[in-house]
Amino acid sequence: LRLLLLSSLWLLAASPTSSTFQRPTGSPATPRLQYLLEPLHGAVHTQRGATATLPCVLRALPRNYRVKWSKVEPANYGESVIIITNGLSHKNYGPLSPRVRLRHSHRYDASLTITDVALEDEGRYRCQLVNGLEDESVSLTLHLEGVVFPYQPSNGRYKFNYHEAKRACEQQDARLATYQQLYKAWTEGLDWCNAGWVLDGTVHYPIINSREPCGGRLLLPGVRTYGARDKQRDRFDAFCFTSALQGEVYFIRGHLSFKEAGQACRNHGATVAKVGQLYAAWKFSGLDRCDGGWLADGSVRYPITAPRQRCGGVPEPGVRSFGFPSKEQRTYGTYCFAGA
């Protein structure tokens, strides 16, 4: 009988239609967090290679508590545990283990510090206080400053299934962009008529200037979507994302074949730059050259930060492409990458 009574009271309290426990209009909301402080900002901005700290601070220390940090993985609807602490000792888990630690600047501080931030570190993190029935958590997002670029292989557009697109970006010192990264790139001027995969398995293309080959003139500008597609069968281009370089991209002038370009870079203790590395140098280091140069995938490109008539005549800054010429052509210089 006592259990039935308690169950009935619990159901009444949980029921959204119960008038007995309804909060009067205008009364202050009950604080959601008892022990954890709500972060002042929900996002932390950083770059690849930097050190970033995700804040998590307790206002009081409950008995026998633990704090668990995890990374939310939307692709598989799960979370990956990163570190667990009881305030006295801690244990690291997973691939982030060598690069994470607790800041612990005071006894109430359970903030997570990530060193040498990598592209795959971007995403949502959760700091959870585990305290029996009083568990509570705060969520934060780690944002990397970077650049999104469209990518297709030498044999033409719409050749990648999802898994091939993912590998292609990784081979160019990048990763598949998230939808949020693509949307931000669109707001900053990315205009591209070919549809491409993003990280969650959906397909989109960003349009600034509405035109006939890209959905028609009547459609408003925006990030147009094909929605979720079959990751094995459907084929599109890729939208890749990269962040700041840990090294330098520079140009070697000459009339070089692709093979000679590789040797020229090796002679300087470097490698032929990847597409993502050239975009990163353009975005973060202001690399500006009017000279087409070989890149590691066999394409020829050049970065322009100050548009001018003799350098393609396009009024916007960007990385221009000559496509994938014959690797035997001895017409171009090369862009080399030397790691830090």
Side-chain angles (χ1 to χ4, degrees), residues 220-255:
L220 293 174
V223 179
R224 297 173 185 168
T225 180
Y226 288 4
R229 310 297 293 195
D230 188 299
K231 291 182 178 181
Q232 290 288 353
R233 293 185 302 174
D234 290 330
R235 295 188 174 270
F236 297 95
D237 291 347
F239 286 106
C240 304
F241 172 84
T242 193
S243 186
L245 281 174
Q246 295 177 281
E248 179 190 10
V249 172
Y250 60 91
F251 182 73
I252 294 179
R253 188 183 299 276
H255 298 283

Side-chain angles (χ1 to χ4, degrees), residues 2 17 66 92 191 242 294 321:
R2 184 181 180 186
T17 59
R66 289 179 298 149
N92 294 15
D191 182 286
T242 193
W294 291 105
S321 175

Side-chain angles (χ1 to χ4, degrees), residues 41-46 51-55 122-123 140-145:
H41 304 286
V44 173
H45 295 265
T46 188
T51 296
T53 297
L54 299 168
E122 173 150 312
L140 301 107
T141 301
L142 185 67
H143 283 301
L144 269 69
E145 300 295 336

Side-chain angles (χ1 to χ4, degrees), residues 87-211:
L88 300 175
S89 60
H90 67 273
K91 185 173 182 180
N92 294 15
Y93 298 87
L96 266 174
S97 180
R99 296 189 289 112
V100 295
R101 57 180 170 81
L102 294 170
R103 183 175 62 180
H104 208 63
S105 58
H106 53 79
R107 63 195 295 250
Y108 299 102
D109 185 15
S111 302
L112 182 73
T113 295
I114 305 174
T115 60
D116 193 18
V117 171
L119 293 175
E120 59 269 21
D121 296 342
E122 173 150 312
R124 191 157 66 91
Y125 292 76
R126 190 159 77 110
C127 175
Q128 181 182 16
L129 176 73
V130 182
N131 185 35
L133 297 176
E134 298 176 326
D135 292 0
E136 55 191 56
S137 66
V138 294
S139 293
L140 301 107
T141 301
L142 185 67
H143 283 301
L144 269 69
E145 300 295 336
V147 57
V148 172
F149 61 93
Y151 189 74
Q152 57 184 224
S154 60
N155 57 341
R157 73 172 194 160
Y158 295 175
K159 301 296 183 183
F160 295 135
N161 67 23
Y162 172 82
H163 306 287
E164 292 163 346
K166 190 170 182 288
R167 282 195 301 272
C169 289
E170 291 165 357
Q171 289 166 359
Q172 297 309 315
D173 193 47
R175 65 174 296 194
L176 272 179
T178 64
Y179 175 80
Q180 291 77 11
Q181 289 165 342
L182 180 63
Y183 185 90
K184 182 174 184 290
W186 168 72
T187 66
E188 295 171 348
L190 181 60
D191 182 286
W192 196 255
C193 204
N194 294 345
W197 294 101
V198 298
L199 189 60
D200 65 1
T202 56
V203 174
H204 312 269
Y205 64 102
I207 295 296
I208 298 289
N209 303 306
S210 299
R211 50 203 187 273

Side-chain angles (χ1 to χ4, degrees), residues 14 79 107 146 194 287 332:
E79 294 188 12
R107 63 195 295 250
N194 294 345
L287 185 62
Y332 308 103

